[in-house]
Amino acid sequence: MPSLTLPECGRYIPPLATDEDLEFADLAIVDLSKAHTPEGRAELYPQLRDALRSYGFVYAINHGYNQAQRDRIFDIANVPFTVVPPDEMKTYAANIEKVGYYAVNKDVTRRPHPQALRPFLPEIDAFVRHNHFNVVHPILRLVALSLDLPEETLVEKHNFDGTGETCGCYRRTKEEEEKSKNVWLKGHTDVGSVTVLWSQPVGGLQIQAPDGRWKWVRHIDNALVINTGDMMDFFSGGYYKPTIHRVVQPPEDQRNYDRLSVFFVSMPDDDVRLLPCVESPVLHHFGIQRRCPDEDAPLCEAWRKGRTTMYGRSDLKKGMEHNVEEEVIEGIVVKHYN
């Protein structure tokens, strides 16, 4: 069988990982290759549960893409920022989100793309499907097991053909850094259920540890950095609270490099109501913390649009906590951490 010839793409050459002595978060590592069997899932779900209930972030390895496949995705992710002429990119301004990333839907043909990116759409589509079926779905099954629920409980809320938003690639330049006073994204929680960040060497991501201190997330070659967001908080009745995290300027020895990130934000189908899984014996034991009365629980679509369309535009109010600003989305207070 002849080998598939892929379209040519310029190489993205990342810098070396930082040599600076930073305080890194001690995150657990889960081996996703074990999620293929019932015995493996039984071994993994306590590991994932403990990691998400402590730091809220976890590494995943052996996820199904090798190093060459991972590198190819970063080559493609760099195309909108380095190959597409600025005048042409203005035509696709809707794809460039407010915090500086190029967005792609689960249906990669849903929105038009620059000419230079179109030859790579089949590979982007395969990448999106890989994240959805081979990364997010196994994580959702492990979360369901940790709540003593049927394995497919959360998977059934995340259908590939369901409407919603998913993935993107992010590139931050030195000029943008100077404009934002070196804090690229304020402390926040993610809007969706599961976020998958493909690890890359330029530092910047920090999470708020249980003791309240900010700690860096270390790069691991071909690993994924996974965390849960607001929607998982709704589903789990507060059992899996989203961890506050932010993006700051890279360490001193990496500040002359642009930071290119590739991530996949998974959300439930738009018509799913964000209610706690009250049938979970685990939640009954620990107690369900609702963010609103069940009758006021928003649909996924309303929460997604409320969070994403208001980001950077709403008039934030000073909160009761120190260095915390607040806004109200669908009647629910959302906090931003300076």
Side-chain angles (χ1 to χ4, degrees):
M1 183 176 178
S3 60
L4 178 65
T5 301
L6 299 175
E8 291 187 9
C9 184
R11 290 300 315 276
Y12 169 71
I13 307 298
L16 297 175
T18 181
D19 286 328
E20 292 194 24
D21 184 19
L22 305 176
E23 187 174 11
F24 289 103
D26 185 19
L27 303 183
I29 301 174
V30 297
D31 184 348
L32 275 187
S33 67
K34 296 181 179 180
H36 299 308
T37 66
E39 296 78 15
R41 291 192 290 276
E43 176 186 343
L44 287 183
Y45 86 74
Q47 299 174 17
L48 182 70
R49 175 198 63 208
D50 295 346
L52 293 181
R53 282 179 54 81
S54 54
Y55 275 101
F57 277 67
V58 65
Y59 292 109
I61 59 173
N62 297 327
H63 45 73
Y65 262 36
N66 60 34
Q67 186 70 45
Q69 290 172 302
R70 177 264 181 210
D71 292 348
R72 172 74 175 181
I73 287 299
F74 274 77
D75 295 343
I76 295 171
N78 206 30
V79 168
F81 307 106
T82 58
V83 179
V84 180
D87 287 344
E88 183 186 359
M89 185 56 80
K90 293 177 183 177
T91 307
Y92 303 95
N95 294 19
I96 305 295
E97 301 295 340
K98 293 176 284 297
V99 291
Y101 67 86
Y102 188 88
V104 181
N105 300 98
K106 277 187 297 187
D107 176 1
V108 300
T109 63
R110 180 174 164 187
R111 290 192 280 191
H113 300 283
Q115 183 67 40
L117 197 61
R118 293 172 197 170
F120 306 107
L121 289 180
E123 290 175 85
I124 297 173
D125 177 67
F127 177 71
V128 169
R129 292 173 183 273
H130 175 73
N131 279 271
H132 183 87
F133 291 109
N134 300 331
V135 179
V136 171
H137 274 191
I139 292 294
L140 292 175
R141 291 186 180 102
L142 295 175
V143 171
L145 286 171
S146 75
L147 298 175
D148 200 10
L149 292 168
E151 285 190 10
E152 302 301 304
T153 299
L154 296 172
V155 168
E156 291 170 354
K157 301 178 187 294
H158 296 73
N159 294 292
F160 187 80
D161 295 326
T163 55
E165 306 294 326
T166 42
C167 94
C169 48
Y170 177 96
R171 184 174 185 263
R172 195 62 179 252
T173 65
K174 190 173 183 180
E175 290 75 18
E176 290 173 307
E177 171 188 323
E178 291 169 352
K179 290 179 185 177
S180 60
K181 299 180 181 178
N182 299 330
V183 176
W184 296 357
L185 281 178
K186 293 180 181 180
H188 65 286
T189 58
D190 288 346
V191 60
S193 50
V194 176
T195 300
V196 180
L197 176 70
W198 288 68
S199 186
Q200 55 80 39
V202 180
L205 177 61
Q206 294 181 337
I207 65 175
Q208 193 172 61
D211 61 7
R213 292 187 297 169
W214 292 104
K215 295 190 177 183
W216 297 77
V217 174
R218 188 190 305 274
H219 168 61
I220 298 179
D221 285 341
N222 199 26
L224 309 177
V225 182
I226 294 176
N227 65 285
T228 57
D230 293 343
M231 295 183 185
M232 189 62 74
D233 187 25
F234 281 107
F235 290 144
S236 69
Y239 189 77
Y240 289 117
K241 294 185 180 298
T243 291
I244 302 161
H245 55 287
R246 67 181 183 182
V247 181
V248 300
Q249 65 176 342
E252 185 69 36
D253 59 356
Q254 294 183 322
R255 288 182 189 169
N256 289 326
Y257 299 96
D258 293 339
R259 186 173 186 269
L260 179 67
S261 296
V262 176
F263 55 90
F264 183 89
V265 180
S266 179
M267 303 191 194
D269 303 347
D270 275 353
D271 61 355
V272 171
R273 194 164 295 280
L274 297 175
L275 290 165
C277 297
V278 295
E279 64 274 26
S280 164
V282 174
L283 298 190
H284 278 284
H285 175 74
F286 280 90
I288 296 175
Q289 300 175 21
R290 289 173 168 84
R291 298 186 67 170
C292 63
D294 286 355
E295 59 269 22
D296 296 330
L299 290 173
C300 174
E301 180 181 23
W303 184 256
R304 170 175 62 81
K305 290 182 176 179
R307 284 292 312 269
T308 57
T309 59
M310 295 306 294
Y311 189 87
R313 298 178 183 177
S314 60
D315 183 19
L316 299 180
K317 306 295 184 182
K318 182 175 175 60
M320 298 295 292
E321 301 170 59
H322 180 62
N323 284 340
V324 173
E325 296 172 313
E326 298 177 348
E327 63 179 331
V328 178
I329 303 293
E330 292 294 305
I332 300 170
V333 174
V334 176
K335 298 180 179 181
H336 299 263
Y337 302 82
N338 289 321

